[in-house]
Amino acid sequence: MTELLDPRDRLIVGLDLPTVSDAEAMVARLGDAVTFYKIGYELSFAGGLVLAERLAGAGKQVFVDLKLHDIGATVEKATRQVAKLGASILTVHAYPQTLRAAAAGRDGSRMKVLGVTVLTSWDAADVKEAGFREGPEALVARRVRHAREAGVDGVICAPTDLPAVRRIAPSPFLAVTPGVRPAGAALGDQKRVATPAEAIRAGADRLVVARPILSAEDPRAAAEAIVAEIAAAAG
């Protein structure tokens, strides 16, 4: 990493909740233990983009996880609109035309654009079913190269893909990883996972965690425990 990040800033809590009021209540419970939030599809379609703007205005960092993929002009204009919300990160699918359009839409803002490589809920069988000839690692590698060539800021990848990503794209190219589960936590629909410490040691810049925090009896304590694990792994 080229910058020394506070361990709290390396944890992104996914607000995977059905309503804005639920999300606001969770933000209040987490307080200053969390500085960075992800807003994905479910909450976006329930008014979450307005919340994203409010969180950014209150000094929080916001990851808008929309995984954009459309014709270039549409992606470029949509990216520009998300940047106006004050978002810190936006995701797009890592297809060359889409990446180039998002890079153009991001220009002039401080927002980072990350390309989605292969979803953490996909394994080799899922990649094959989708019609790709190569396995997940080769597909991830190809999409990392596309992201670098397009001039975006980094990728979203499974923690198990980090060694391959870092061989191709060392820092300051960003690697942000969902599919992070504390030891003993339920995997849910995730297939390619690692603990927070394993992901940090493998080269992740930031970790995205939702269910292990949102479903905890004490979400703030769960978040603080992950931040402590990040700090210990980062040394």
Side-chain angles (χ1 to χ4, degrees):
M1 294 181 61
T2 58
E3 60 176 328
L4 183 61
L5 293 176
D6 185 310
R8 288 190 312 159
D9 295 333
R10 299 182 72 172
L11 170 64
I12 302 174
V13 173
L15 292 175
D16 298 340
L17 296 163
T19 70
V20 168
S21 60
D22 288 336
E24 288 174 328
M26 181 58 65
V27 170
R29 290 187 72 182
L30 293 169
D32 61 4
V34 173
T35 65
F36 213 138
Y37 289 98
K38 184 200 78 157
I39 293 178
Y41 283 152
E42 180 182 17
L43 191 57
S44 291
F45 296 141
L49 295 182
V50 175
L51 176 61
E53 190 169 23
R54 288 208 300 268
L55 288 172
K60 299 293 187 181
Q61 296 187 78
V62 183
F63 165 16
V64 176
D65 188 22
L66 291 180
K67 301 180 181 70
L68 299 179
H69 181 49
D70 208 313
I71 63 172
T74 298
V75 171
E76 181 177 348
K77 292 173 184 176
T79 300
R80 193 168 292 118
Q81 292 296 332
V82 175
K84 290 178 182 177
L85 299 175
S88 298
I89 293 175
L90 169 69
T91 50
V92 303
H93 276 288
Y95 293 92
Q97 185 185 96
T98 300
L99 291 163
R100 289 192 296 268
R106 168 215 60 192
D107 283 352
S109 77
R110 298 173 62 185
M111 185 177 72
K112 307 294 187 184
V113 169
L114 305 182
V116 177
T117 55
V118 176
L119 298 176
T120 54
S121 61
W122 282 28
D123 59 15
D126 296 304
V127 170
K128 182 178 181 180
E129 184 181 25
F132 294 99
R133 293 181 179 178
E134 66 263 70
E137 184 171 310
L139 181 56
V140 167
R142 177 151 59 93
R143 288 179 165 173
V144 171
R145 293 187 182 97
H146 287 161
R148 292 189 74 186
E149 290 163 3
V152 300
D153 304 282
V155 293
I156 300 288
C157 66
T160 52
D161 295 326
L162 283 164
V165 170
R166 285 309 186 201
R167 283 195 295 271
I168 300 166
S171 294
F173 189 85
L174 297 175
V176 176
T177 57
V180 174
R181 291 289 185 270
L187 299 185
D189 54 2
Q190 305 288 359
K191 296 177 181 177
R192 291 153 47 241
V193 303
T195 66
E198 289 168 342
I200 291 295
R201 287 195 291 262
D205 292 291
R206 303 182 195 269
L207 313 180
V208 182
V209 184
R211 276 169 283 188
I213 293 174
L214 303 185
S215 62
E217 184 175 340
D218 185 340
R220 182 182 178 111
E224 289 174 338
I226 292 171
V227 169
E229 187 174 341
I230 290 170

